[in-house]
Amino acid sequence: MKTLKITSIHLYAIHLPLHVPFIVSYKKYDYMPSVIVKLETSEGIIGYGEAVADEHVTGETWESVYYTIKSTLAPRIIGKNPLNIEKIHDAMDQVIYSAPTAKAAIDIACFDIAGKKLNQPIYQLIGGRFHKKFPITHVISISDSKKMAEEARKMINKGYRSLKIKVGKNIDQDIERIHTIRQAVGNQIPIRIDVNQGWKDSSTTLKVLEPLQKLKIDWLEQPILADDILGMAELKEKSLFPIMIDEGLKGMKDMREVINQRAADKVNIKLMKCGGIYPAVKLVHQAEMANIECQIGSMVESSIGTAAGYHVAFSKKNITSVELTGPLKFSKDVGNLKYEIPYIQLNTKSGLGIEVDEEMLQQLTVFQDIVG
């Protein structure tokens, strides 16, 4: 019997156009740069993966991810069996340290192939389906408080039942933003606050939390610098709100430190931070052993990367929330992941369960290559 092998790897560096600019504490995005990989195999099965880099989180850029895959990872995995996920990751780890976003694209494409080969959705390969559906949280990027409140009201009227507010530019303005939005939507709508490291340290964050104590906040996400695990532990001890770690958690070593220091009530796992589906599942199991709930988040990815995140989320009991709304923010997308606001429900199609529009992929491509 012939062994399934990867025969060629196509790379597409693309720009995904946003309906409106996306603004977080450290950057404004007028579009999202992404790298799409297309793995071809000896049996004609094709798998798609995606890498959306954030240099503020993993140190990778759009350009570095592209050339890491082209020059380092792709030559290493050509000829290998994409079903052997552990061996694929070992091969990638042997040729480059870290680079989780680049590795995630390969990982996702291999899982897409595995699902198609076995005629099963990816979630069936990593534990089976646990959740029936997940509520969708609308993410509001940084603007002035009135505009953010107006957007919040508009989205609640559209059917969204929870909000995530991006802050971290200016402390006084952040307090005003949060109060204004809470007043606009009432007390029954869950609100999460994401600072993206913008408040820098625990002492500053504690000062900000005092004016927010009477507000109903689901959790506070990564208010301080990513490497300050002890600062996160202090906040967890003193905050009235649950504390979530995001940028400070990439791989298994980070998770071990978070657990040892009791530095978070909840962890935000992103495929782009940890290296794909396979490492994400390992992180979920680590967190579960420490009785820490998980969320699956994203770097604002297309239907490809977003669908991969949903497959992980739907398969694990310990994943209790998701923030995977990239496709809703794009005016053009390369895939057809379907949302039914205020929920998303995965289909039972094999692999990622989406169709990739090759014409749109070419339309959004800035440059491309093929290896193999």
Side-chain angles (χ1 to χ4, degrees):
M1 181 182 293
K2 291 184 177 179
T3 302
L4 180 67
K5 293 182 179 180
I6 299 169
T7 55
S8 64
I9 302 175
H10 299 254
L11 292 94
Y12 307 88
I14 70 172
H15 286 170
L16 290 157
L18 292 156
H19 290 295
V20 295
F22 185 65
I23 304 171
V24 298
S25 64
Y26 54 78
K27 192 169 183 177
K28 174 184 176 183
Y29 296 90
D30 295 308
Y31 58 85
M32 292 305 298
S34 172
V35 177
I36 305 298
V37 300
K38 174 183 174 182
L39 302 191
E40 295 184 330
T41 66
S42 54
E43 294 184 9
I45 302 172
I46 292 173
Y48 291 93
E50 181 174 20
V52 176
D54 189 330
E55 60 269 33
H56 298 87
V57 179
T58 69
E60 298 165 280
T61 65
W62 181 55
E63 295 87 355
S64 74
V65 162
Y66 183 91
Y67 287 105
T68 294
I69 298 172
K70 176 186 174 182
S71 303
T72 306
L73 299 181
R76 184 71 173 184
I77 66 167
I78 290 288
K80 295 192 179 298
N81 185 342
L83 304 187
N84 294 335
I85 302 292
E86 181 89 28
K87 284 188 175 182
I88 292 288
H89 274 279
D90 183 59
M92 293 192 293
D93 291 343
Q94 286 183 21
V95 292
I96 187 167
Y97 173 74
S98 192
T101 307
K103 292 172 183 176
I106 301 295
D107 169 282
I108 293 167
C110 287
F111 269 101
D112 192 25
I113 291 168
K116 291 171 179 175
K117 168 71 173 176
L118 300 172
N119 196 30
Q120 294 290 330
I122 289 172
Y123 59 74
Q124 288 296 123
L125 309 182
I126 54 176
R129 187 162 185 166
F130 182 85
H131 300 283
K132 181 179 179 182
K133 60 185 179 181
F134 269 111
I136 305 165
T137 298
H138 178 71
V139 182
I140 302 175
S141 65
I142 298 174
S143 183
D144 68 68
S145 59
K146 290 183 179 179
K147 287 183 179 178
M148 293 176 75
E150 182 181 348
E151 181 179 345
R153 278 192 297 264
K154 180 180 178 182
M155 292 302 152
I156 296 304
N157 290 336
K158 279 189 173 183
Y160 288 93
R161 305 321 311 156
S162 61
L163 299 169
K164 176 175 179 175
I165 305 170
K166 293 285 189 178
V167 295
K169 286 277 192 181
N170 176 282
I171 292 172
D172 293 332
Q173 292 175 9
D174 288 341
I175 294 171
E176 181 185 358
R177 289 177 177 112
I178 297 165
H179 273 281
T180 303
I181 291 171
R182 173 50 81 200
Q183 186 175 16
V185 301
N187 291 325
Q188 301 307 310
I189 298 297
I191 288 179
R192 299 99 185 247
I193 309 299
D194 187 5
V195 194
N196 290 115
Q197 308 178 72
W199 294 342
K200 307 300 183 186
D201 56 57
S202 58
S203 60
T204 301
T205 300
L206 289 170
K207 292 176 184 177
V208 179
L209 292 187
E210 188 174 349
L212 304 179
Q213 287 181 3
K214 294 182 180 180
L215 297 184
K216 193 176 180 181
I217 304 296
D218 267 19
W219 59 74
L220 178 69
E221 182 176 347
Q222 198 66 56
I224 65 177
L225 296 178
D227 292 339
D228 190 359
I229 300 297
L230 291 179
M232 290 291 286
E234 180 186 5
L235 289 174
K236 179 180 178 295
E237 181 181 351
K238 296 179 180 179
S239 173
L240 295 178
F241 314 129
I243 298 296
M244 174 186 281
I245 192 164
D246 179 6
E247 287 93 334
L249 172 69
K250 300 175 186 67
M252 295 178 71
K253 290 181 180 179
D254 293 332
M255 181 70 84
R256 186 172 61 204
E257 186 174 3
V258 169
I259 293 170
N260 288 342
Q261 298 296 337
R262 299 182 180 181
D265 298 289
K266 193 164 183 173
V267 296
N268 195 7
I269 297 171
K270 297 178 179 177
L271 273 58
M272 300 299 134
K273 290 191 303 178
C274 68
I277 294 171
Y278 193 64
V281 170
K282 290 184 177 182
L283 290 177
V284 175
H285 292 163
Q286 258 187 301
E288 187 174 26
M289 287 190 293
N291 200 30
I292 298 175
E293 290 185 1
C294 301
Q295 171 174 285
I296 297 294
S298 80
M299 300 294 195
V300 191
E301 296 133 27
S302 79
S303 284
I304 296 173
T306 303
Y310 274 118
H311 279 276
V312 177
F314 272 80
S315 71
K316 300 301 172 188
K317 179 181 179 180
N318 198 41
I319 296 171
T320 56
S321 63
V322 295
E323 287 176 1
L324 298 160
T325 57
L328 295 171
K329 296 186 177 299
F330 299 130
S331 57
K332 295 179 180 179
D333 190 7
V334 297
N336 63 341
L337 185 64
K338 300 296 184 185
Y339 290 81
E340 297 176 2
I341 296 170
Y343 298 103
I344 185 164
Q345 302 184 53
L346 291 183
N347 58 47
T348 58
K349 295 180 180 178
S350 63
L352 287 170
I354 62 169
E355 296 175 4
V356 174
D357 186 336
E358 289 275 355
E359 290 186 7
M360 181 59 68
L361 181 58
Q362 286 292 340
Q363 181 182 330
L364 299 179
T365 294
V366 181
F367 49 92
Q368 59 185 302
D369 272 298
I370 181 171
V371 179

